[in-house]
């Protein structure tokens, strides 16, 4: 796992690396995945650097709810609520997490099959 200074998502949040932004507020950023696995593949992340959903759960700031609320907003922006979607986060080596800044994948726009990602 990379350190904070090497975090590609922190660099995107800082505007040092471009992204295809879908949504932003003061705590959350969402942008399209550079290697989409579905017609809609958006990454939703807290701007505050943390590695995993376990770190998010440990916070008592309401950020967990903010992430879910942002995800629901984006689902509606992308008009996925009727057809369905998948919202998931990979945590650690066994899940194949490749970027150590917590992010949720929002996938949709086609029939999603296993494996999950
Ligand atoms: P994970 O394997 O769950 O850690 O997911 C990391 C995701 O980040 C992958 O789906 C990558 O395609 C995506 N990704 C990596 N770098 C970028 C980038 N610069 N812009 C957009 N998506 C990226």
């Amino acid at each position: 796992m990379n350190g904070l200074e090497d975090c590609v998502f922190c660099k995107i949040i800082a505007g040092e690396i471009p992204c295809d932004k879908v949504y932003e507020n003061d705590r959350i950023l969402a942008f399209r995945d550079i290697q989409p696995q579905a017609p809609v593949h958006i990454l939703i992340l807290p701007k505050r650097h943390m590695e995993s959903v376990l770190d998010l759960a440990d916070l008592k700031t309401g950020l967990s709810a903010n992430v879910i609320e942002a995800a629901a907003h984006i689902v509606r922006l992308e008009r996925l609520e009727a057809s369905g979607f998948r919202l998931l986060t990979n945590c650690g080596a066994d899940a194949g997490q490749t970027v150590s800044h917590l992010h949720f994948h929002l996938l949709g726009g086609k029939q999603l099959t296993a494996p999950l990602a």
Side-chain angles (χ1 to χ4, degrees):
M1 298 281 173
N2 294 328
L4 186 57
E5 65 281 359
D6 296 323
C7 175
V8 62
F9 288 175
C10 282
K11 288 180 176 167
I12 289 174
I13 291 160
E16 296 166 10
I17 295 176
C19 72
D20 185 358
K21 184 163 69 179
V22 174
Y23 174 79
E24 181 174 19
N25 67 27
D26 59 329
R27 303 178 106 184
I28 310 284
L29 179 66
F31 51 87
R32 296 192 192 278
D33 196 292
I34 203 165
Q35 290 186 293
Q37 307 296 311
V40 176
H41 187 173
I42 294 168
L43 303 176
I44 302 163
L45 47 137
K47 291 181 174 178
R48 176 171 169 173
H49 182 93
M50 63 192 78
E51 286 205 3
S52 86
V53 72
L54 299 177
D55 302 313
L56 182 66
D58 286 342
L59 290 176
K60 306 298 177 197
T61 62
L63 187 56
S64 311
N66 296 152
V67 170
I68 296 300
E69 287 157 8
H73 179 70
I74 295 163
V75 163
R76 295 185 178 108
L77 282 179
E78 296 290 318
R79 303 190 183 285
L80 294 175
E81 63 269 52
S83 53
F85 59 90
R86 188 171 283 160
L87 183 65
L88 66 92
T89 184
N90 292 316
C91 187
D94 277 1
Q97 183 178 7
T98 58
V99 178
S100 59
H101 184 130
L102 171 64
H103 53 281
F104 290 82
H105 298 255
L106 173 64
L107 296 146
K110 71 169 188 178
Q111 181 68 58
L112 299 165
T113 56
L116 287 173

